[in-house]
Amino acid sequence: MTEVCYKFDLATVYVSDAQYNRNSVFDTSPQTVRLYLLYNHWFMQTLVYVFIIVNLALALFEDPAVVPLPIWATSTTEIICLSAFTVRMIHYAKIIPKDKFWKDPKNICIIVVITLSFIDLTIYGALKSTGYFAIRWSRVLRPLLLVNVTEGRQLRRAFRSIRNALPQIAYVFLLFMFSVLVFSLVALKLFGKRGLLTIDGSPYFTDYVDIVFDLYVLVTTANSPDVMMPAYNYSDSFTIFFILYIVINIYTFMSFFLAVVYSNYKKHLKEEVRQLVKARRFKMCRAFSLLQEARGEGGEPVVTQAKWNHLVKLIKPNISIAHRELLWSVLDDQNKGHIGKFAFVQLADLLSIQVITVKSQPHPIHICFPSMYNSPVSRFIRYVVHHRMFVHVYDLIILVNAVFIGLDEENPVVSNAEWGFLVLYMLEIILKLYATEPRAFFARHHFWNWFDTIIIVSALFGTIINSALKHCKCRQILDIVFILRVLRLIRLVDTIKRFRAIINTLIKIGPTILTFGQLIVVVYYIFAMVGMELFKGKVQFFEPNSTSPDQEYCGNPLLKGTTFAKLNYCKNNFNNVVSSFIVLLELTVVNQCGFTAVTHISARIFFIFFHIVVVIIIINIFVAFILEAFLVEYTVDKSDLQTSLEKKIEELELNVQHFMDAYQHSILVLLILDAMESNDNELGPSEAAKQKPSLMFKIASRRSRTVDGLLQRMFETEIHPEDFEEEEPENINFSNPVFDSV
Amino acid sequence: MTEVCYKFDLATVYVSDAQYNRNSVFDTSPQTVRLYLLYNHWFMQTLVYVFIIVNLALALFEDPAVVPLPIWATSTTEIICLSAFTVRMIHYAKIIPKDKFWKDPKNICIIVVITLSFIDLTIYGALKSTGYFAIRWSRVLRPLLLVNVTEGRQLRRAFRSIRNALPQIAYVFLLFMFSVLVFSLVALKLFGKRGLLTIDGSPYFTDYVDIVFDLYVLVTTANSPDVMMPAYNYSDSFTIFFILYIVINIYTFMSFFLAVVYSNYKKHLKEEVRQLVKARRFKMCRAFSLLQEARGEGGEPVVTQAKWNHLVKLIKPNISIAHRELLWSVLDDQNKGHIGKFAFVQLADLLSIQVITVKSQPHPIHICFPSMYNSPVSRFIRYVVHHRMFVHVYDLIILVNAVFIGLDEENPVVSNAEWGFLVLYMLEIILKLYATEPRAFFARHHFWNWFDTIIIVSALFGTIINSALKHCKCRQILDIVFILRVLRLIRLVDTIKRFRAIINTLIKIGPTILTFGQLIVVVYYIFAMVGMELFKGKVQFFEPNSTSPDQEYCGNPLLKGTTFAKLNYCKNNFNNVVSSFIVLLELTVVNQCGFTAVTHISARIFFIFFHIVVVIIIINIFVAFILEAFLVEYTVDKSDLQTSLEKKIEELELNVQHFMDAYQHSILVLLILDAMESNDNELGPSEAAKQKPSLMFKIASRRSRTVDGLLQRMFETEIHPEDFEEEEPENINFSNPVFDSV
């Protein structure tokens, strides 16, 4: 490898690290740089995720299993996964300097988890083969790999948010528990000696521990009026106790938890993003110093266009020439042929901006049958399709369709009407395809066009298959057809501007909701593993048509006569991973604890602990995130957050033109570059091409899509753009794992 | 009235308007100023509140009544109340210029409510006396008087917050309802034809309107697992539908509602406070211009100390000389004998600061028996009492006491131990009174001292009375004694510093929680009035020992076999105001709607509407308020918010000394003015008095106690202090009523 090659490789690593906010500190020897490039290759990263998913999915096949597999099969799979993680770890150790590697608790956590898993596997195998009872306790540790092994920085950050908020939450929680304990003591003294009975005839509020538990459950609102009814029936004035309890413990303390979590989340997020921005800038400066050359005597160091082109090609191998030229022209706005440090640093941001190349081409029918396409009838059709009334007419059709969907589909009029609607929808798509160039219609960002077409075409196929197989009455196909029909109605939302704004915010929040999805999976997985060990097989579900006498008490005599059995909750059990997850979801919504009847009373601790972790902490973090996202979206003035880069792009912009297409609401900026026309346009200058420049750049900033992006911008505007810190930021180690304090 | 007198009166009005943030625009004729002073007299204001409470309390005595009174009695009371409001209105009309009076929708609202009430009373009386059926519909309007008549600016502001957030909430709500409707349609298509049955045997998800209602109730989490169980029992995969529903509609949309309410609340609050600060400054400038006189040639106008003293005496008739001198020395820090506009404007803020005059005096025992008080034993006792360990020992005693409280009090050991604890607590108070000067011990701000003494002395009396009347077994006295015993435990909170911080925040939030209490009363009252008309007498409650066969279905055959009757919810009815309020509280916590069984199905609208108003809007406003209060408390740097005034006070401060008293945590600043000593100190210089200056000023800013106060400071630091707007602020009319858009 030549020296130049190495320099470019290293610069590539720095730039892409800056682009993806990676924070590993690696040796800068040529060998390591190659290894590091391999380590961050998308294929390797995907592979790790696949192994993690396989490892987590093992819970489906291990006892208690949804689909039972022999132990040798699950063990072998687990060994393969663990080996893969070990290899990945060794690969990482080769890149990172030894001392840094062992200082990073993330790595130690992974090594510990892998070691413990191997030990557990060996013990379990040995015990099982000799016929002893054994527990796969290391399964609880599996989700830690998802948190630590992967590139899931977002997930780690969420965990760090929680960890930082923990001390404050703990204090409020202790005070809250103190309040619950004091209220319970008052309840014991007030109601205990009165000989009141609950609805199932048991004594009311006579045992202190039971009272504490009942009043804690009241906070989750699960037993809301029931717990109060005996006292209320006895005397009106006792409600004062419950009113005070509800106001103080439900409303005030629960809001306090949210406030604590939110204020911590906010503070922490700002600090992290600020440091991210600093770290990125530092890396870009490193990359610059690798490629810089002195210009003139005493002139500032610069990077030439040739070197820059080479670098960009290395970072994004499949970038189009036009796109690269565009980026360069944004940076080098005075056409000097070289750029300084200030411009170079912006490359990472520039590469994050998603640029979709849309070639404006005449309609295929126009090319084949120009006279027909330009005939008055054809022109009129195109005029009608692009008219606003066309959209409104179809909105009306959708509304009428909604009514028909609600009607009984076994009525022949209704089922025939469905064919009519399908034809109308197909006609709409065909007309639009006639009026709009097909490649533009199906451009990647035209969400609603794709949505419509997929829904309608699938519904068409489904309906055809369904009527072909009318005698088989396949519910699955019919279900899908029904759902597809209802989904068509969603398009109505898009026609009302205010709804669109809300939907757009929801879409922007989308990616981060996925992070919370992962967080929930991690927590649910751990609780499901523990719950399965505690409760598996205690509650049986019998198929509705079963005639077993055990059915009415879920196969467990302890449940005889309980509300749990009466309400037919038997399927809410921990007998496999899937039902465990569903029970945990139900517990998240309303914490009901029928399970304590089948095991020791101390199992309540499991439910209380779950409530604390999921409802008090995680749901509040989620709400805090949505609050912050909403506030950033709605109250921060976007123009203040426009990066210097976007301003430059706007200056460069020759002609902003909004598509007349009614479906196109997501356009941010349209960049039309006449200069590029000669390079890429292979078509001869036609009439249509003269009207519009043939190559357009649409800039839909992907970074601004997420709250993170907006926050990053907020801090970028705060940090002076010329202010480059040459020294490495001190607190650069973001990839700290979450569990270092555990 | 002399011209000078009039000027001082007018200045007094301006300053106290500024101090209490009143915003009435009144005629400035001498006659009106007198009337205005009378209008704002505390007695008149209290009287209005009394009449409003009486008017609202009439619901207790009107049919359906808790305590039935004849119609003539309630009608006469109502006529007296309405007359009082009319008189108050006429008084107000005399003060305010005619055109301003009729432009203010608040006044029009009151006049309309009074007129309608009189009309309703007449019609009702006429119909009742001729034996016809009649409804007192104007009772719904009564809470509007609470909102509009009184000086309840906070309440009106809360209503304005709601009104401003309404359009945005409406859009999110419509989208949310669209989502519920679409999900319901999918549910109808998926489950409707499968012939599933709910737990009580009725068909599951077959009627569209029922599905919409069930899924709406799912959002309130009231029917959480039940609504899903039939589908889940049929097939695991149907849970996907419910998971999506829960994630989208419960978590995302509910957080969105909070976010919308919060962002509006924040925006609105800032704007209002900004304008309040402006208006206050404007009024102070007016007052200054009344009293100013030119000093020297071309010098700036000033107010002399004599005039200032006279003004302060008029505003606060019972202010001490020392206090007034202190205020003057803060304003006139260079001892010029006159102050300029800039200093004068701060008077309103200065008067809002609560100054407690604490005279440092030797202990009474010290005066009577100096040798005994200074004996080594006495010194040792005082040393022990002030020692930290003394507090810890008593904390331990409280903990042990807590265990004893939890034990069965019929055990003689436990009941005798109670006497021991009482003696220990009494001893503590006596020892503290011995070690601390009694007047300092019982100073107004020593919350915990007061708390302890009252609780212990009451418990002592209660226990004595209880053992004296042992044979009568009076539960009431025993209940009170028990509660007092438990309340003692609360003192534990005060010993842990972090808890104290949280408690202090809660106490600061306190006053504004009262505003929300009023808001809730207004909304509950309106819903209770409507609910009583709709549901009164439909559900009967029978005493537990009643033998009526109707008891098991709450006296209404329609409730036979429903969960409502089975769970013995009969007392949850709308048969009088008190039970209506309790039902509404239960509906706030978990929206359960058993009542729909006894009336038409459309009664569900009542419950859904209640959920929207109370849970989606008001509870969210409450949470938003706590969030903001918490963020302001914890994240805003207090030193930035220190007014220039407080800085001056600190500069003036000669010696800051923290009391060694362990109970004294609430001290903000101790101001010790040696200069004042000669004026007020009648005691000869004793040894103790030499150690401490004898007159101390403790400044506990009352304004900073509320979030409003903190916010006002935030904006005061934003508005440049020298920036006086002479012209009247445009949008000064804050007292706009809430219902002008209704």
Side-chain angles (χ1 to χ4, degrees), chain B residues 49-68:
Chain B
Y49 267 105
V50 169
F51 277 117
I52 285 172
I53 290 166
V54 169
N55 194 30
L56 288 177
L58 279 176
L60 289 167
F61 309 105
E62 291 165 339
D63 177 62
V66 180
V67 182

Side-chain angles (χ1 to χ4, degrees), chain A residues 691-724:
Chain A
Q691 282 172 341
K692 303 183 196 174
S694 62
L695 188 71
M696 291 185 286
F697 283 90
K698 171 200 303 288
I699 295 183
S701 168
R702 183 182 267 170
R703 276 179 55 223
S704 76
R705 276 240 176 122
T706 60
V707 181
D708 257 33
L710 269 175
L711 274 171
Q712 280 191 34
R713 285 197 194 182
M714 276 172 74
F715 292 108
E716 269 169 28
T717 48
E718 274 179 26
I719 299 174
H720 199 265
E722 323 279 336
D723 166 36
F724 297 113

Side-chain angles (χ1 to χ4, degrees), chain A residues 167-168 171-172 174-175 178 182 185-186 188-190 193-194 199 218 221-222 224-226 228-229 232-236 238-239 242-243 246 250-253 255-256 258-260 262-263 266-267 402 404-410 475-476 479 482-483 486 489-490 492-493 496 498-499 502-503 505-506 509 513 541 543-544 566-572 578-579 582 585-586 588-590 592 619 622-623 626-627 630-631 634-635, chain B residues 167-168 171-172 174-175 178 182 185-186 188-190 193-194 199 218 221 224-226 228-229 232-236 238-239 242-243 246 250-253 255-256 258-260 262-263 266-267 402 404-410 475-476 479 482-483 486 489-490 492-493 496 498-499 502-503 505-506 509 513 541 543-544 566-572 578-579 582 585-586 588-590 592 619 622-623 626-627 630-631 634-635:
Chain A
Q168 279 216 51
Y171 280 110
V172 178
L174 285 176
L175 197 61
F178 180 78
V182 167
L185 205 52
V186 172
L188 178 70
K189 291 283 129 181
L190 278 186
K193 290 278 168 184
R194 287 210 154 73
I199 190 74
L218 179 57
T221 75
S224 167
D226 308 78
M228 165 177 138
M229 286 320 290
Y232 180 33
N233 284 339
Y234 184 83
S235 163
D236 279 6
F238 282 150
T239 48
F242 290 98
I243 291 172
I246 288 170
I250 300 193
Y251 292 111
T252 311
F253 268 107
S255 310
F256 241 64
L258 177 61
V260 170
Y262 178 59
S263 79
K266 217 173 158 174
K267 208 168 59 186
F404 272 86
I405 292 172
L407 298 173
D408 186 6
E409 74 273 1
E410 279 173 20
R475 292 296 315 192
Q476 263 76 22
D479 282 350
F482 284 149
I483 292 171
V486 177
L489 306 182
I490 293 177
L492 274 180
V493 169
I496 298 162
R498 295 294 292 254
F499 284 179
I502 300 168
I503 291 279
T505 309
L506 278 175
I509 290 171
I513 285 185
F541 173 66
E543 287 300 319
K566 269 186 209 152
L567 290 171
N568 202 8
Y569 283 177
C570 308
K571 211 175 179 182
N572 293 333
V578 174
S579 56
I582 291 170
L585 178 80
E586 288 173 12
T588 308
V589 177
V590 168
Q592 48 112 342
I619 294 294
F622 179 74
V623 174
I626 291 202
L627 269 180
F630 187 89
L631 289 181
Y634 273 65
T635 60
Chain B
Q168 279 216 52
Y171 279 111
V172 178
L174 285 176
L175 196 61
F178 181 78
V182 167
L185 205 51
V186 171
L188 179 70
K189 291 283 128 182
L190 278 185
K193 290 277 168 187
R194 286 209 155 74
I199 191 72
L218 179 57
T221 75
S224 166
D226 308 79
M228 167 177 138
M229 286 318 291
Y232 180 33
N233 285 337
Y234 184 83
S235 163
D236 279 5
F238 282 149
T239 48
F242 289 97
I243 291 172
I246 287 169
I250 300 193
Y251 291 110
T252 311
F253 268 107
S255 310
F256 241 64
L258 177 61
V260 169
Y262 179 58
S263 78
K266 218 172 157 174
K267 207 169 60 187
F404 272 85
I405 293 172
L407 297 173
D408 186 5
E409 74 273 0
E410 280 170 20
R475 291 299 312 193
Q476 263 77 20
D479 282 351
F482 284 150
I483 292 172
V486 177
L489 306 183
I490 293 177
L492 273 181
V493 169
I496 297 161
R498 295 296 291 255
F499 284 180
I502 301 168
I503 291 279
T505 310
L506 278 175
I509 290 172
I513 286 185
F541 172 65
E543 288 299 320
K566 269 187 209 153
L567 290 172
N568 201 9
Y569 282 176
C570 307
K571 212 175 178 183
N572 294 333
V578 174
S579 56
I582 292 171
L585 179 79
E586 287 172 14
T588 308
V589 177
V590 168
Q592 49 112 343
I619 295 294
F622 179 74
V623 175
I626 290 203
L627 269 181
F630 188 88
L631 290 182
Y634 274 65
T635 60

Side-chain angles (χ1 to χ4, degrees), chain B residues 112-155:
Chain B
V112 168
V113 169
I114 293 174
T115 319
L116 286 177
S117 299
F118 272 120
I119 293 171
D120 181 36
L121 258 178
T122 322
I123 296 174
Y124 184 78
L127 283 173
K128 272 284 164 187
S129 60
T130 52
Y132 282 97
F133 172 77
I135 291 178
R136 278 300 320 275
W137 48 264
S138 72
R139 302 202 295 169
V140 172
L141 304 174
R142 280 182 197 157
L144 297 191
L145 292 172
L146 176 62
V147 179
N148 288 304
V149 161
T150 66
E151 311 307 303
R153 269 171 213 91
Q154 298 277 343
L155 186 59

